[in-house]
Amino acid sequence: MTLHAVYREGRDATLPCLVWLHGFLGCQREWEAVSENFIDWPQLRIDLPGHGKSADITVNDFHQVDQLLRKTLLSYNILKYWLIGYSLGGRVAMVHACQGDNPGLCGLVVEGGHPGLEDENARLERQTNDHLWGQRLCNEPLKEVLNDWYQQAVFQSLNDPQRAALVMLRSQNNGASLAAMLEATSLGKQPDLRAALKQLPQPFYYLCGERDEKFRTVANSLGQAPHLITAAGHNAHRENPAAFSACLLNLLRKPGEETP
């Protein structure tokens, strides 16, 4: 089994493939506006389990997500790649990078992704919280749940029209599929990856919106000076795709970092 994905050839076949991983509630189309700025690179935009055209794929944990990711890359004969992940996609990318058996991984770019909780009580609390959200996604009208979802503190930079647009867009999802993925990949079940990330042999860059106070702090906990995207909150690539693209282009073009 592989994940649904959309592949695009690049103008320069010698460059590594850019593998785009969306966040919770999203799909591969989330990256369209950004990916248009990277036509030199081969690209693969992936639908994660429970989302988009991978909505009928269920997993039990991060290990199974990573195995699906690896099978999907092999199915497209992608042997040299960068992982670029937002939020949940960033967490999937970090888990993958920290496995240690990644000869084709050229680098890691994470946008607003959490490396894992350090405190066991916080982990248990997060699992409980995600279970409650999962129950709501299964049993209540999706629009009502999403209206509450986007009131969470991490989305405080959104204005009312932005929230309404996201609720309308995300309402096309299947609540039960989302719930299954949310609980399988709860931050409470994710290992703390801080130590492993600091030992990565590949380049690792952390991006976040300048208004995303929570994940600016998270980046600092990784010993990273985050690359800040102006005029943006948590979903920086959606709120300011031009600035996000410019930042990422600059990072990808750093000398000696196109190949492992």
Side-chain angles (χ1 to χ4, degrees):
M1 183 184 296
T2 61
L3 298 167
H4 174 263
V6 174
Y7 180 77
R8 176 175 180 170
E9 291 186 357
R11 294 193 300 196
D12 186 345
T14 67
L15 290 175
C17 186
L18 305 183
V19 179
W20 306 91
L21 302 173
H22 62 80
F24 183 64
L25 300 173
C27 69
Q28 57 84 15
R29 293 193 307 272
E30 301 288 312
W31 294 109
E32 283 180 345
V34 171
S35 65
E36 292 297 325
N37 297 307
F38 296 85
I39 57 176
D40 286 345
W41 284 264
Q43 300 182 53
L44 188 71
R45 303 198 311 264
I46 292 178
D47 280 334
L48 292 173
H51 296 76
K53 292 185 179 180
S54 298
D56 59 344
I57 298 176
T58 58
V59 293
N60 295 321
D61 51 31
F62 277 99
H63 175 72
Q64 290 186 0
V65 179
D66 186 53
Q67 290 302 304
L68 285 169
L69 173 59
R70 292 173 185 273
K71 290 177 181 178
T72 304
L73 294 177
L74 284 175
S75 75
Y76 285 91
N77 197 34
I78 294 172
L79 305 177
K80 189 172 66 170
Y81 58 97
W82 279 78
L83 288 181
I84 305 164
Y86 161 64
S87 196
L88 170 61
R91 297 197 286 124
V92 170
M94 287 186 282
V95 168
H96 176 90
C98 291
Q99 298 307 303
D101 182 23
N102 301 302
L105 181 63
C106 299
L108 176 66
V109 178
V110 174
E111 175 197 354
H114 205 295
L117 298 169
E118 299 173 277
D119 178 72
E120 183 62 25
N121 289 331
R123 291 164 62 85
L124 293 172
E125 182 179 345
R126 180 57 180 259
Q127 288 183 52
T128 299
N129 189 57
D130 284 342
H131 177 70
L132 292 174
W133 278 114
Q135 291 297 299
R136 292 194 62 188
L137 286 165
C138 287
N139 298 308
E140 299 179 26
L142 189 52
K143 284 187 178 181
E144 292 182 13
V145 182
L146 294 177
N147 277 323
D148 290 341
W149 180 268
Y150 285 111
Q151 293 297 329
Q152 294 182 96
V154 72
F155 300 113
Q156 63 183 354
S157 68
L158 296 175
N159 58 36
D160 289 342
Q162 288 173 321
R163 284 192 178 88
L166 281 169
V167 169
M168 180 172 294
L169 179 66
R170 309 307 195 202
S171 294
Q172 301 171 23
N173 282 297
N174 178 282
S177 297
L178 293 174
M181 183 61 170
L182 178 64
E183 295 206 51
T185 57
S186 169
L187 185 58
K189 295 180 179 178
Q190 179 184 315
D192 179 11
L193 302 171
R194 285 174 179 80
L197 288 167
K198 291 177 181 177
Q199 300 298 318
L200 285 182
Q202 301 90 356
F204 170 35
Y205 301 115
Y206 197 100
L207 281 61
C208 64
E210 65 175 354
R211 300 171 183 163
D212 190 353
E213 295 295 337
K214 175 179 178 179
F215 283 92
R216 289 179 68 167
T217 301
V218 166
N220 291 332
S221 78
L222 284 165
Q224 288 266 352
H227 297 269
L228 299 180
I229 308 305
T230 58
H234 184 53
N235 196 335
H237 73 270
R238 176 182 172 86
E239 295 175 39
N240 195 345
F244 182 92
S245 298
C247 178
L248 182 55
L249 278 167
N250 182 57
L251 296 175
L252 291 174
R253 287 172 174 163
K254 286 195 172 186
E257 293 187 357
E258 287 84 8
T259 58

